[in-house]
Amino acid sequence: MIAHGKDIKIFAGNSNRVLAEAICKELNIALGNADVGRFSDGENFVSIYETVRGSDVFVVQSTCQPVNDNLMEMLIMIDALKRASAGRITAVMPYFGYARQDRKAKPRDPISAKLVANMIVAAGADRVLTMDLHASQIQGFFDIPVDNLLGNPIFVEYFHDKYKGKEGETIVVSPDVGSVARARAFAQKLGMSLAIVDKRRQKANSSEVMNIIGDVRGKKVILFDDMVDTAGSLCGAAQALVEIGGAVDVTACASHGVLSGPAIERIEKSYINEVVFLDTVPANPEVRCDKIRYLSVSHMFAEAIDRIYEEISVSKLFT
């Protein structure tokens, strides 16, 4: 018997409803009855069609494209639930948009990640559940609890099965210096060595590969990153690994497949044989790429939601 006696209710915006339904299936509950839409002038609206008084409510919404619409949907849903006397509201954000704007890179820059954090708290969220924040320090931007799940175990299981017995022939590569810690932990769990692509970014959404730190010649490579936006960095790193480093096979994986602009075209033309994403950002049904594969995070989020509801430790999911 749960001490607080509340029930779980899960609602979803329009950004990743398929994932929300998969989470509900894992928990054996129905998705909350709500209408989330847009008026003719572009304003978002939310209507909740069931009682949430005293309930432990989880709002599943990735703030991916269209970023601002999805963010506003989530904020309005949280506000509606708060005004309907929900017992506790958790913003479940498989992909946290604006996470790359976590510091002032030059004078007069905003810190948009902090602004978004303030907005979520002001709307009435009591805690946040997310996955693989681009910058872990964003957890400190909130004055409420933040659980930052790691997609690492899902990738470890997938690549352990794929390269079992071939660990000596395979190497994990970090596509930039900033991702080294994440890639090192991944490589250690797989029992593989690590290499680094050293690059110099000239401007936003573009980069120039400068050097490869480590020996990848004759090896299969796993490029490991947290997100892929325009895919310029990823495809450039793959090209350098093959043409300069002498790698014989390149596979890539990242938690969040944002895939904006020319990303799909670049992946199609690249040296990468397969790109594996988590379904934190839904695939575009109008665009097909045979190189791209998605792994589900529904089980991990369902377990995290169950543990939050049961008021037991979530730390098991980080290992």
Side-chain angles (χ1 to χ4, degrees), residues 20-286:
E21 290 171 346
I23 292 170
C24 288
K25 186 175 181 181
E26 292 275 354
L27 293 169
N28 197 28
I29 62 175
L31 187 64
N33 186 9
D35 187 12
V36 184
R38 194 177 305 165
F39 292 113
S40 58
D41 65 351
E43 291 182 5
N44 297 104
F45 72 83
V46 170
S47 296
I48 309 293
Y49 295 124
E50 61 184 86
T51 181
V52 296
R53 187 176 297 272
S55 297
D56 211 347
V57 182
F58 296 83
V59 179
V60 180
Q61 181 82 327
S62 287
T63 48
C64 50
Q65 298 182 63
V67 180
N68 296 328
D69 282 340
N70 288 331
L71 177 60
M72 278 305 299
E73 278 186 10
M74 184 182 66
L75 296 175
I76 294 171
M77 288 187 78
I78 292 171
D79 181 74
L81 293 163
K82 193 74 172 179
R83 294 176 188 277
S85 301
R88 178 171 61 179
I89 302 170
T90 301
V92 181
M93 306 174 67
Y95 170 67
F96 187 98
Y98 284 101
R100 285 173 285 180
Q101 300 183 49
D102 64 306
R103 66 193 184 283
K104 291 182 68 172
K106 60 182 186 296
R108 294 172 295 281
D109 271 1
I111 304 181
S112 303
K114 171 59 175 168
L115 174 62
V116 170
N118 289 345
M119 293 166 68
I120 292 169
V121 174
D126 296 297
R127 67 187 302 127
V128 171
L129 175 62
T130 186
M131 175 170 276
D132 283 332
L133 285 169
H134 185 68
S136 296
Q137 64 266 26
I138 291 174
Q139 294 173 85
F141 291 179
F142 289 87
D143 293 324
I144 56 176
V146 177
D147 292 307
N148 181 31
L149 301 179
L150 304 177
N152 194 317
I154 299 174
F155 287 128
V156 168
E157 182 178 358
Y158 176 78
F159 285 106
H160 175 74
D161 293 341
K162 183 173 182 176
Y163 292 110
K164 189 174 183 179
K166 300 177 182 178
E167 289 83 359
E169 306 168 20
T170 314
I171 186 169
V172 174
V173 176
S174 172
D176 55 47
V177 175
S179 300
V180 170
R182 186 182 292 111
R184 182 185 293 117
F186 178 62
Q188 287 175 342
K189 288 184 178 182
L190 286 173
M192 299 176 183
S193 52
L194 177 70
I196 303 166
V197 175
D198 176 33
K199 68 182 182 183
R200 182 175 302 166
R201 188 177 297 276
Q202 304 294 339
K203 59 183 179 179
N205 291 330
S206 68
S207 62
E208 179 184 351
V209 174
M210 303 298 291
N211 195 19
I212 297 170
I213 303 169
D215 184 14
V216 300
R217 187 165 300 279
K219 293 189 175 182
K220 301 177 186 293
V221 165
I222 305 173
L223 269 169
F224 184 76
D225 208 351
D226 67 316
M227 67 180 297
V228 175
D229 188 356
T230 60
S233 298
L234 192 76
C235 295
Q239 182 178 355
L241 287 165
V242 173
E243 295 182 356
I244 300 174
V248 295
D249 181 89
V250 180
T251 300
C253 64
S255 299
H256 312 300
V258 179
L259 304 179
S260 64
I264 299 293
E265 183 182 356
R266 285 174 172 172
I267 290 172
E268 287 278 17
K269 295 178 179 179
S270 72
Y271 284 99
I272 302 171
N273 297 315
E274 181 183 49
V275 186
V276 185
F277 294 120
L278 303 179
D279 61 351
T280 56
V281 177
N284 186 343
E286 298 177 1

